[in-house]
PDB file of all heavy atoms in Angstrom:
ATOM      1  N   SER X   1     -21.057  46.848  39.263  1.00 88.00           N
ATOM      2  CA  SER X   1     -21.662  45.893  40.042  1.00 88.00           C
ATOM      3  C   SER X   1     -21.216  44.436  39.916  1.00 88.00           C
ATOM      4  O   SER X   1     -21.676  43.560  40.502  1.00 88.00           O
ATOM      5  CB  SER X   1     -23.244  45.984  39.804  1.00 88.00           C
ATOM      6  OG  SER X   1     -23.441  45.680  38.399  1.00 88.00           O
ATOM      7  N   GLU X   2     -20.315  44.363  38.844  1.00 90.00           N
ATOM      8  CA  GLU X   2     -19.808  42.961  38.404  1.00 90.00           C
ATOM      9  C   GLU X   2     -18.544  42.735  39.192  1.00 90.00           C
ATOM     10  O   GLU X   2     -17.499  43.418  39.111  1.00 90.00           O
ATOM     11  CB  GLU X   2     -19.554  42.943  36.894  1.00 90.00           C
ATOM     12  CG  GLU X   2     -18.878  41.686  36.494  1.00 90.00           C
ATOM     13  CD  GLU X   2     -19.699  40.470  36.685  1.00 90.00           C
ATOM     14  OE1 GLU X   2     -20.982  40.467  36.487  1.00 90.00           O
ATOM     15  OE2 GLU X   2     -19.135  39.440  37.066  1.00 90.00           O
ATOM     16  N   PRO X   3     -18.576  41.685  40.188  1.00 89.00           N
ATOM     17  CA  PRO X   3     -17.300  41.411  41.006  1.00 89.00           C
ATOM     18  C   PRO X   3     -16.042  41.083  40.190  1.00 89.00           C
ATOM     19  O   PRO X   3     -15.042  41.731  40.557  1.00 89.00           O
ATOM     20  CB  PRO X   3     -17.784  40.226  41.737  1.00 89.00           C
ATOM     21  CG  PRO X   3     -19.250  40.254  41.901  1.00 89.00           C
ATOM     22  CD  PRO X   3     -19.666  40.761  40.479  1.00 89.00           C
ATOM     23  N   SER X   4     -16.190  40.448  39.130  1.00 89.00           N
ATOM     24  CA  SER X   4     -14.851  40.090  38.431  1.00 89.00           C
ATOM     25  C   SER X   4     -14.400  41.301  37.760  1.00 89.00           C
ATOM     26  O   SER X   4     -13.183  41.424  37.570  1.00 89.00           O
ATOM     27  CB  SER X   4     -15.169  39.006  37.376  1.00 89.00           C
ATOM     28  OG  SER X   4     -16.019  39.485  36.351  1.00 89.00           O
ATOM     29  N   LEU X   5     -15.291  42.324  37.252  1.00 93.00           N
ATOM     30  CA  LEU X   5     -14.658  43.605  36.737  1.00 93.00           C
ATOM     31  C   LEU X   5     -14.091  44.408  37.761  1.00 93.00           C
ATOM     32  O   LEU X   5     -13.036  44.921  37.522  1.00 93.00           O
ATOM     33  CB  LEU X   5     -15.894  44.314  36.043  1.00 93.00           C
ATOM     34  CG  LEU X   5     -15.464  45.504  35.175  1.00 93.00           C
ATOM     35  CD1 LEU X   5     -14.553  45.075  34.126  1.00 93.00           C
ATOM     36  CD2 LEU X   5     -16.730  46.075  34.561  1.00 93.00           C
ATOM     37  N   ARG X   6     -14.768  44.532  38.984  1.00 91.00           N
ATOM     38  CA  ARG X   6     -14.158  45.260  40.066  1.00 91.00           C
ATOM     39  C   ARG X   6     -12.633  44.716  40.370  1.00 91.00           C
ATOM     40  O   ARG X   6     -11.732  45.434  40.527  1.00 91.00           O
ATOM     41  CB  ARG X   6     -14.922  45.281  41.199  1.00 91.00           C
ATOM     42  CG  ARG X   6     -16.137  46.154  41.248  1.00 91.00           C
ATOM     43  CD  ARG X   6     -16.799  46.274  42.559  1.00 91.00           C
ATOM     44  NE  ARG X   6     -16.997  45.101  43.312  1.00 91.00           N
ATOM     45  CZ  ARG X   6     -18.115  44.353  43.301  1.00 91.00           C
ATOM     46  NH1 ARG X   6     -19.052  44.787  42.417  1.00 91.00           N
ATOM     47  NH2 ARG X   6     -18.268  43.245  43.928  1.00 91.00           N
ATOM     48  N   ALA X   7     -12.658  43.390  40.524  1.00 92.00           N
ATOM     49  CA  ALA X   7     -11.366  42.694  40.867  1.00 92.00           C
ATOM     50  C   ALA X   7     -10.244  42.988  39.843  1.00 92.00           C
ATOM     51  O   ALA X   7      -9.102  43.251  40.213  1.00 92.00           O
ATOM     52  CB  ALA X   7     -11.592  41.302  41.160  1.00 92.00           C
ATOM     53  N   ARG X   8     -10.618  42.819  38.638  1.00 94.00           N
ATOM     54  CA  ARG X   8      -9.633  43.099  37.519  1.00 94.00           C
ATOM     55  C   ARG X   8      -9.147  44.441  37.505  1.00 94.00           C
ATOM     56  O   ARG X   8      -7.947  44.743  37.296  1.00 94.00           O
ATOM     57  CB  ARG X   8     -10.231  42.593  36.056  1.00 94.00           C
ATOM     58  CG  ARG X   8     -10.319  41.198  36.026  1.00 94.00           C
ATOM     59  CD  ARG X   8     -10.797  40.768  34.516  1.00 94.00           C
ATOM     60  NE  ARG X   8     -11.179  39.430  34.436  1.00 94.00           N
ATOM     61  CZ  ARG X   8     -10.346  38.474  34.340  1.00 94.00           C
ATOM     62  NH1 ARG X   8      -9.099  38.622  34.414  1.00 94.00           N
ATOM     63  NH2 ARG X   8     -10.891  37.231  34.232  1.00 94.00           N
ATOM     64  N   ALA X   9     -10.120  45.473  37.678  1.00 95.00           N
ATOM     65  CA  ALA X   9      -9.660  46.944  37.608  1.00 95.00           C
ATOM     66  C   ALA X   9      -8.804  47.227  38.851  1.00 95.00           C
ATOM     67  O   ALA X   9      -7.745  47.880  38.724  1.00 95.00           O
ATOM     68  CB  ALA X   9     -10.997  47.697  37.719  1.00 95.00           C
ATOM     69  N   ALA X  10      -9.181  46.626  39.885  1.00 93.00           N
ATOM     70  CA  ALA X  10      -8.395  46.997  41.245  1.00 93.00           C
ATOM     71  C   ALA X  10      -7.030  46.209  40.945  1.00 93.00           C
ATOM     72  O   ALA X  10      -5.902  46.912  41.467  1.00 93.00           O
ATOM     73  CB  ALA X  10      -9.011  46.376  42.467  1.00 93.00           C
ATOM     74  N   PHE X  11      -6.838  45.080  40.487  1.00 94.00           N
ATOM     75  CA  PHE X  11      -5.592  44.459  40.240  1.00 94.00           C
ATOM     76  C   PHE X  11      -4.726  45.315  39.305  1.00 94.00           C
ATOM     77  O   PHE X  11      -3.591  45.531  39.654  1.00 94.00           O
ATOM     78  CB  PHE X  11      -5.874  43.086  39.665  1.00 94.00           C
ATOM     79  CG  PHE X  11      -4.540  42.419  39.129  1.00 94.00           C
ATOM     80  CD1 PHE X  11      -3.663  41.852  40.037  1.00 94.00           C
ATOM     81  CD2 PHE X  11      -4.166  42.442  37.808  1.00 94.00           C
ATOM     82  CE1 PHE X  11      -2.402  41.322  39.563  1.00 94.00           C
ATOM     83  CE2 PHE X  11      -3.162  41.863  37.372  1.00 94.00           C
ATOM     84  CZ  PHE X  11      -2.179  41.253  38.228  1.00 94.00           C
ATOM     85  N   LEU X  12      -5.283  45.737  38.139  1.00 95.00           N
ATOM     86  CA  LEU X  12      -4.439  46.442  37.282  1.00 95.00           C
ATOM     87  C   LEU X  12      -4.056  47.881  37.781  1.00 95.00           C
ATOM     88  O   LEU X  12      -2.852  48.142  37.650  1.00 95.00           O
ATOM     89  CB  LEU X  12      -5.254  46.675  35.988  1.00 95.00           C
ATOM     90  CG  LEU X  12      -4.473  47.449  34.889  1.00 95.00           C
ATOM     91  CD1 LEU X  12      -3.119  46.841  34.604  1.00 95.00           C
ATOM     92  CD2 LEU X  12      -5.269  47.557  33.561  1.00 95.00           C
ATOM     93  N   LEU X  13      -4.911  48.478  38.511  1.00 95.00           N
ATOM     94  CA  LEU X  13      -4.585  49.808  39.104  1.00 95.00           C
ATOM     95  C   LEU X  13      -3.478  49.579  40.171  1.00 95.00           C
ATOM     96  O   LEU X  13      -2.582  50.421  40.197  1.00 95.00           O
ATOM     97  CB  LEU X  13      -5.771  50.456  39.718  1.00 95.00           C
ATOM     98  CG  LEU X  13      -6.790  51.079  38.563  1.00 95.00           C
ATOM     99  CD1 LEU X  13      -8.139  51.377  39.219  1.00 95.00           C
ATOM    100  CD2 LEU X  13      -6.079  52.294  37.964  1.00 95.00           C
ATOM    101  N   HIS X  14      -3.577  48.604  40.970  1.00 93.00           N
ATOM    102  CA  HIS X  14      -2.668  48.310  41.981  1.00 93.00           C
ATOM    103  C   HIS X  14      -1.224  48.083  41.281  1.00 93.00           C
ATOM    104  O   HIS X  14      -0.261  48.662  41.619  1.00 93.00           O
ATOM    105  CB  HIS X  14      -3.123  47.069  42.778  1.00 93.00           C
ATOM    106  CG  HIS X  14      -2.082  46.743  43.904  1.00 93.00           C
ATOM    107  ND1 HIS X  14      -2.091  45.455  44.447  1.00 93.00           N
ATOM    108  CD2 HIS X  14      -1.212  47.450  44.566  1.00 93.00           C
ATOM    109  CE1 HIS X  14      -1.211  45.464  45.514  1.00 93.00           C
ATOM    110  NE2 HIS X  14      -0.557  46.709  45.416  1.00 93.00           N
ATOM    111  N   CYS X  15      -1.352  47.220  40.231  1.00 93.00           N
ATOM    112  CA  CYS X  15      -0.034  46.932  39.481  1.00 93.00           C
ATOM    113  C   CYS X  15       0.578  48.229  38.855  1.00 93.00           C
ATOM    114  O   CYS X  15       1.744  48.401  38.907  1.00 93.00           O
ATOM    115  CB  CYS X  15      -0.244  45.904  38.412  1.00 93.00           C
ATOM    116  SG  CYS X  15      -0.588  44.261  38.913  1.00 93.00           S
ATOM    117  N   LEU X  16      -0.272  49.050  38.222  1.00 94.00           N
ATOM    118  CA  LEU X  16       0.186  50.271  37.536  1.00 94.00           C
ATOM    119  C   LEU X  16       0.759  51.267  38.652  1.00 94.00           C
ATOM    120  O   LEU X  16       1.813  51.954  38.384  1.00 94.00           O
ATOM    121  CB  LEU X  16      -0.949  50.987  36.877  1.00 94.00           C
ATOM    122  CG  LEU X  16      -1.355  50.173  35.559  1.00 94.00           C
ATOM    123  CD1 LEU X  16      -2.563  50.883  34.918  1.00 94.00           C
ATOM    124  CD2 LEU X  16      -0.253  49.956  34.547  1.00 94.00           C
ATOM    125  N   LEU X  17       0.156  51.296  39.854  1.00 92.00           N
ATOM    126  CA  LEU X  17       0.681  52.299  40.818  1.00 92.00           C
ATOM    127  C   LEU X  17       1.928  51.795  41.323  1.00 92.00           C
ATOM    128  O   LEU X  17       2.875  52.554  41.625  1.00 92.00           O
ATOM    129  CB  LEU X  17      -0.342  52.421  41.995  1.00 92.00           C
ATOM    130  CG  LEU X  17      -1.539  53.355  41.658  1.00 92.00           C
ATOM    131  CD1 LEU X  17      -2.535  53.148  42.647  1.00 92.00           C
ATOM    132  CD2 LEU X  17      -1.085  54.799  41.535  1.00 92.00           C
ATOM    133  N   ARG X  18       2.241  50.505  41.425  1.00 92.00           N
ATOM    134  CA  ARG X  18       3.436  49.863  41.863  1.00 92.00           C
ATOM    135  C   ARG X  18       4.505  50.079  40.734  1.00 92.00           C
ATOM    136  O   ARG X  18       5.695  50.508  41.180  1.00 92.00           O
ATOM    137  CB  ARG X  18       3.333  48.469  42.194  1.00 92.00           C
ATOM    138  CG  ARG X  18       3.094  48.064  43.534  1.00 92.00           C
ATOM    139  CD  ARG X  18       3.201  46.623  43.928  1.00 92.00           C
ATOM    140  NE  ARG X  18       3.222  45.643  42.791  1.00 92.00           N
ATOM    141  CZ  ARG X  18       2.339  44.843  42.340  1.00 92.00           C
ATOM    142  NH1 ARG X  18       1.215  44.764  43.250  1.00 92.00           N
ATOM    143  NH2 ARG X  18       2.469  43.931  41.361  1.00 92.00           N
ATOM    144  N   GLU X  19       4.214  49.895  39.561  1.00 92.00           N
ATOM    145  CA  GLU X  19       5.184  49.984  38.517  1.00 92.00           C
ATOM    146  C   GLU X  19       5.473  51.333  38.073  1.00 92.00           C
ATOM    147  O   GLU X  19       6.603  51.610  37.583  1.00 92.00           O
ATOM    148  CB  GLU X  19       4.757  49.124  37.279  1.00 92.00           C
ATOM    149  CG  GLU X  19       4.697  47.665  37.599  1.00 92.00           C
ATOM    150  CD  GLU X  19       3.989  46.815  36.435  1.00 92.00           C
ATOM    151  OE1 GLU X  19       3.806  47.472  35.236  1.00 92.00           O
ATOM    152  OE2 GLU X  19       3.633  45.687  36.731  1.00 92.00           O
ATOM    153  N   HIS X  20       4.464  52.265  38.266  1.00 92.00           N
ATOM    154  CA  HIS X  20       4.604  53.642  37.543  1.00 92.00           C
ATOM    155  C   HIS X  20       4.061  54.609  38.665  1.00 92.00           C
ATOM    156  O   HIS X  20       3.066  55.134  38.527  1.00 92.00           O
ATOM    157  CB  HIS X  20       3.775  53.807  36.321  1.00 92.00           C
ATOM    158  CG  HIS X  20       4.180  52.760  35.280  1.00 92.00           C
ATOM    159  ND1 HIS X  20       5.245  52.824  34.482  1.00 92.00           N
ATOM    160  CD2 HIS X  20       3.508  51.639  35.073  1.00 92.00           C
ATOM    161  CE1 HIS X  20       5.279  51.762  33.647  1.00 92.00           C
ATOM    162  NE2 HIS X  20       4.254  51.079  33.982  1.00 92.00           N
ATOM    163  N   PRO X  21       4.939  54.970  39.656  1.00 91.00           N
ATOM    164  CA  PRO X  21       4.509  55.782  40.700  1.00 91.00           C
ATOM    165  C   PRO X  21       4.043  57.280  40.124  1.00 91.00           C
ATOM    166  O   PRO X  21       3.272  57.937  40.780  1.00 91.00           O
ATOM    167  CB  PRO X  21       5.706  56.132  41.616  1.00 91.00           C
ATOM    168  CG  PRO X  21       6.592  54.838  41.284  1.00 91.00           C
ATOM    169  CD  PRO X  21       6.208  54.409  39.907  1.00 91.00           C
ATOM    170  N   ARG X  22       4.449  57.664  38.964  1.00 93.00           N
ATOM    171  CA  ARG X  22       4.120  58.959  38.342  1.00 93.00           C
ATOM    172  C   ARG X  22       2.584  58.910  38.110  1.00 93.00           C
ATOM    173  O   ARG X  22       1.960  60.089  38.066  1.00 93.00           O
ATOM    174  CB  ARG X  22       4.830  59.143  37.174  1.00 93.00           C
ATOM    175  CG  ARG X  22       4.386  58.326  35.869  1.00 93.00           C
ATOM    176  CD  ARG X  22       5.010  58.598  34.600  1.00 93.00           C
ATOM    177  NE  ARG X  22       4.601  57.745  33.525  1.00 93.00           N
ATOM    178  CZ  ARG X  22       3.493  57.744  32.933  1.00 93.00           C
ATOM    179  NH1 ARG X  22       2.557  58.578  33.320  1.00 93.00           N
ATOM    180  NH2 ARG X  22       3.096  56.868  32.007  1.00 93.00           N
ATOM    181  N   LEU X  23       1.834  57.838  38.145  1.00 93.00           N
ATOM    182  CA  LEU X  23       0.509  57.756  37.852  1.00 93.00           C
ATOM    183  C   LEU X  23      -0.323  58.185  39.117  1.00 93.00           C
ATOM    184  O   LEU X  23      -1.484  58.396  38.986  1.00 93.00           O
ATOM    185  CB  LEU X  23       0.023  56.426  37.277  1.00 93.00           C
ATOM    186  CG  LEU X  23       0.560  55.968  36.036  1.00 93.00           C
ATOM    187  CD1 LEU X  23       0.105  54.466  35.828  1.00 93.00           C
ATOM    188  CD2 LEU X  23      -0.007  56.783  34.950  1.00 93.00           C
ATOM    189  N   ARG X  24       0.372  58.184  40.241  1.00 92.00           N
ATOM    190  CA  ARG X  24      -0.356  58.533  41.438  1.00 92.00           C
ATOM    191  C   ARG X  24      -1.154  59.868  41.472  1.00 92.00           C
ATOM    192  O   ARG X  24      -2.391  59.849  41.699  1.00 92.00           O
ATOM    193  CB  ARG X  24       0.619  58.686  42.730  1.00 92.00           C
ATOM    194  CG  ARG X  24      -0.015  58.769  43.942  1.00 92.00           C
ATOM    195  CD  ARG X  24       1.073  58.773  45.111  1.00 92.00           C
ATOM    196  NE  ARG X  24       1.862  57.486  44.928  1.00 92.00           N
ATOM    197  CZ  ARG X  24       3.190  57.361  45.133  1.00 92.00           C
ATOM    198  NH1 ARG X  24       3.882  58.527  45.238  1.00 92.00           N
ATOM    199  NH2 ARG X  24       3.838  56.268  45.073  1.00 92.00           N
ATOM    200  N   GLU X  25      -0.586  60.916  40.914  1.00 93.00           N
ATOM    201  CA  GLU X  25      -1.213  62.192  40.883  1.00 93.00           C
ATOM    202  C   GLU X  25      -2.507  62.196  39.937  1.00 93.00           C
ATOM    203  O   GLU X  25      -3.510  62.634  40.399  1.00 93.00           O
ATOM    204  CB  GLU X  25      -0.207  63.354  40.593  1.00 93.00           C
ATOM    205  CG  GLU X  25       0.607  63.635  41.785  1.00 93.00           C
ATOM    206  CD  GLU X  25      -0.088  64.051  43.027  1.00 93.00           C
ATOM    207  OE1 GLU X  25      -1.088  64.828  42.949  1.00 93.00           O
ATOM    208  OE2 GLU X  25       0.227  63.577  44.139  1.00 93.00           O
ATOM    209  N   PRO X  26      -2.298  61.782  38.732  1.00 92.00           N
ATOM    210  CA  PRO X  26      -3.406  61.747  37.741  1.00 92.00           C
ATOM    211  C   PRO X  26      -4.537  60.994  38.254  1.00 92.00           C
ATOM    212  O   PRO X  26      -5.771  61.232  38.228  1.00 92.00           O
ATOM    213  CB  PRO X  26      -2.932  61.264  36.516  1.00 92.00           C
ATOM    214  CG  PRO X  26      -1.482  61.210  36.552  1.00 92.00           C
ATOM    215  CD  PRO X  26      -1.049  61.381  37.930  1.00 92.00           C
ATOM    216  N   LEU X  27      -4.225  59.825  38.960  1.00 92.00           N
ATOM    217  CA  LEU X  27      -5.339  58.991  39.543  1.00 92.00           C
ATOM    218  C   LEU X  27      -5.996  59.543  40.637  1.00 92.00           C
ATOM    219  O   LEU X  27      -7.189  59.398  40.820  1.00 92.00           O
ATOM    220  CB  LEU X  27      -4.648  57.560  39.754  1.00 92.00           C
ATOM    221  CG  LEU X  27      -4.441  56.771  38.519  1.00 92.00           C
ATOM    222  CD1 LEU X  27      -3.646  55.492  38.916  1.00 92.00           C
ATOM    223  CD2 LEU X  27      -5.683  56.231  37.775  1.00 92.00           C
ATOM    224  N   ILE X  28      -5.226  60.216  41.488  1.00 92.00           N
ATOM    225  CA  ILE X  28      -5.832  60.938  42.586  1.00 92.00           C
ATOM    226  C   ILE X  28      -6.748  61.940  42.149  1.00 92.00           C
ATOM    227  O   ILE X  28      -7.876  62.224  42.639  1.00 92.00           O
ATOM    228  CB  ILE X  28      -4.749  61.443  43.539  1.00 92.00           C
ATOM    229  CG1 ILE X  28      -4.114  60.405  44.383  1.00 92.00           C
ATOM    230  CG2 ILE X  28      -5.386  62.435  44.479  1.00 92.00           C
ATOM    231  CD1 ILE X  28      -2.861  60.685  45.102  1.00 92.00           C
ATOM    232  N   ARG X  29      -6.366  62.693  41.050  1.00 92.00           N
ATOM    233  CA  ARG X  29      -7.153  63.769  40.594  1.00 92.00           C
ATOM    234  C   ARG X  29      -8.531  63.202  40.019  1.00 92.00           C
ATOM    235  O   ARG X  29      -9.474  63.958  39.938  1.00 92.00           O
ATOM    236  CB  ARG X  29      -6.444  64.617  39.559  1.00 92.00           C
ATOM    237  CG  ARG X  29      -5.547  65.691  40.036  1.00 92.00           C
ATOM    238  CD  ARG X  29      -4.941  66.521  39.023  1.00 92.00           C
ATOM    239  NE  ARG X  29      -4.445  66.035  37.754  1.00 92.00           N
ATOM    240  CZ  ARG X  29      -3.096  65.565  37.732  1.00 92.00           C
ATOM    241  NH1 ARG X  29      -2.288  65.762  38.756  1.00 92.00           N
ATOM    242  NH2 ARG X  29      -2.676  65.107  36.677  1.00 92.00           N
ATOM    243  N   GLN X  30      -8.513  62.049  39.538  1.00 91.00           N
ATOM    244  CA  GLN X  30      -9.651  61.386  38.912  1.00 91.00           C
ATOM    245  C   GLN X  30     -10.543  60.686  40.022  1.00 91.00           C
ATOM    246  O   GLN X  30     -11.518  60.114  39.675  1.00 91.00           O
ATOM    247  CB  GLN X  30      -9.254  60.359  37.801  1.00 91.00           C
ATOM    248  CG  GLN X  30      -8.610  60.997  36.674  1.00 91.00           C
ATOM    249  CD  GLN X  30      -8.126  59.853  35.667  1.00 91.00           C
ATOM    250  OE1 GLN X  30      -8.355  58.721  35.902  1.00 91.00           O
ATOM    251  NE2 GLN X  30      -7.340  60.320  34.658  1.00 91.00           N
ATOM    252  N   GLY X  31     -10.260  60.936  41.257  1.00 91.00           N
ATOM    253  CA  GLY X  31     -11.057  60.414  42.311  1.00 91.00           C
ATOM    254  C   GLY X  31     -10.840  58.853  42.661  1.00 91.00           C
ATOM    255  O   GLY X  31     -11.682  58.310  43.318  1.00 91.00           O
ATOM    256  N   LEU X  32      -9.487  58.495  42.578  1.00 90.00           N
ATOM    257  CA  LEU X  32      -9.235  57.076  42.799  1.00 90.00           C
ATOM    258  C   LEU X  32      -9.326  56.725  44.304  1.00 90.00           C
ATOM    259  O   LEU X  32      -9.793  55.690  44.590  1.00 90.00           O
ATOM    260  CB  LEU X  32      -7.892  56.670  42.256  1.00 90.00           C
ATOM    261  CG  LEU X  32      -7.612  55.183  42.396  1.00 90.00           C
ATOM    262  CD1 LEU X  32      -8.453  54.205  41.696  1.00 90.00           C
ATOM    263  CD2 LEU X  32      -6.009  54.924  42.066  1.00 90.00           C
ATOM    264  N   VAL X  33      -8.976  57.610  45.118  1.00 90.00           N
ATOM    265  CA  VAL X  33      -9.007  57.364  46.552  1.00 90.00           C
ATOM    266  C   VAL X  33     -10.451  57.141  47.027  1.00 90.00           C
ATOM    267  O   VAL X  33     -10.714  56.200  47.702  1.00 90.00           O
ATOM    268  CB  VAL X  33      -8.373  58.555  47.335  1.00 90.00           C
ATOM    269  CG1 VAL X  33      -8.640  58.372  48.773  1.00 90.00           C
ATOM    270  CG2 VAL X  33      -6.807  58.630  47.003  1.00 90.00           C
ATOM    271  N   ALA X  34     -11.408  57.976  46.627  1.00 90.00           N
ATOM    272  CA  ALA X  34     -12.739  57.910  46.937  1.00 90.00           C
ATOM    273  C   ALA X  34     -13.369  56.510  46.360  1.00 90.00           C
ATOM    274  O   ALA X  34     -14.179  55.827  47.037  1.00 90.00           O
ATOM    275  CB  ALA X  34     -13.508  59.032  46.431  1.00 90.00           C
ATOM    276  N   ARG X  35     -12.951  56.221  45.180  1.00 90.00           N
ATOM    277  CA  ARG X  35     -13.441  55.091  44.437  1.00 90.00           C
ATOM    278  C   ARG X  35     -12.969  53.734  45.293  1.00 90.00           C
ATOM    279  O   ARG X  35     -13.688  52.838  45.432  1.00 90.00           O
ATOM    280  CB  ARG X  35     -13.149  54.919  43.011  1.00 90.00           C
ATOM    281  CG  ARG X  35     -13.931  55.924  42.242  1.00 90.00           C
ATOM    282  CD  ARG X  35     -13.286  55.962  40.845  1.00 90.00           C
ATOM    283  NE  ARG X  35     -14.196  56.839  39.981  1.00 90.00           N
ATOM    284  CZ  ARG X  35     -14.045  57.201  38.784  1.00 90.00           C
ATOM    285  NH1 ARG X  35     -12.849  56.841  38.156  1.00 90.00           N
ATOM    286  NH2 ARG X  35     -14.872  57.906  38.141  1.00 90.00           N
ATOM    287  N   ALA X  36     -11.609  53.791  45.555  1.00 89.00           N
ATOM    288  CA  ALA X  36     -11.112  52.564  46.199  1.00 89.00           C
ATOM    289  C   ALA X  36     -11.714  52.504  47.691  1.00 89.00           C
ATOM    290  O   ALA X  36     -11.971  51.416  48.141  1.00 89.00           O
ATOM    291  CB  ALA X  36      -9.492  52.775  46.382  1.00 89.00           C
ATOM    292  N   THR X  37     -11.981  53.679  48.345  1.00 89.00           N
ATOM    293  CA  THR X  37     -12.459  53.488  49.622  1.00 89.00           C
ATOM    294  C   THR X  37     -14.075  52.947  49.538  1.00 89.00           C
ATOM    295  O   THR X  37     -14.473  52.163  50.365  1.00 89.00           O
ATOM    296  CB  THR X  37     -12.542  54.996  50.248  1.00 89.00           C
ATOM    297  OG1 THR X  37     -11.242  55.423  50.229  1.00 89.00           O
ATOM    298  CG2 THR X  37     -13.242  55.015  51.673  1.00 89.00           C
TER     299      THR X  37
END
């Protein structure tokens, strides 16, 4: 519910996905698509 925490998490996840495409599958399995939506 904390906007700054959401923003920091989204920023880091976005960076990690750009830098490390191998993380795509584990993050999808953890429900990242639904959470981002």
Side-chain angles (χ1 to χ4, degrees):
S1 61
E2 175 62 40
S4 65
L5 188 58
R6 283 193 312 268
R8 288 185 192 283
F11 169 78
L12 180 53
L13 284 163
H14 183 201
C15 288
L16 290 176
L17 283 166
R18 270 194 338 253
E19 295 171 12
H20 307 281
R22 69 173 181 75
L23 295 176
R24 187 176 302 134
E25 287 303 316
L27 287 168
I28 288 172
R29 282 193 304 274
Q30 293 176 9
L32 183 63
V33 172
R35 289 174 173 171
T37 303

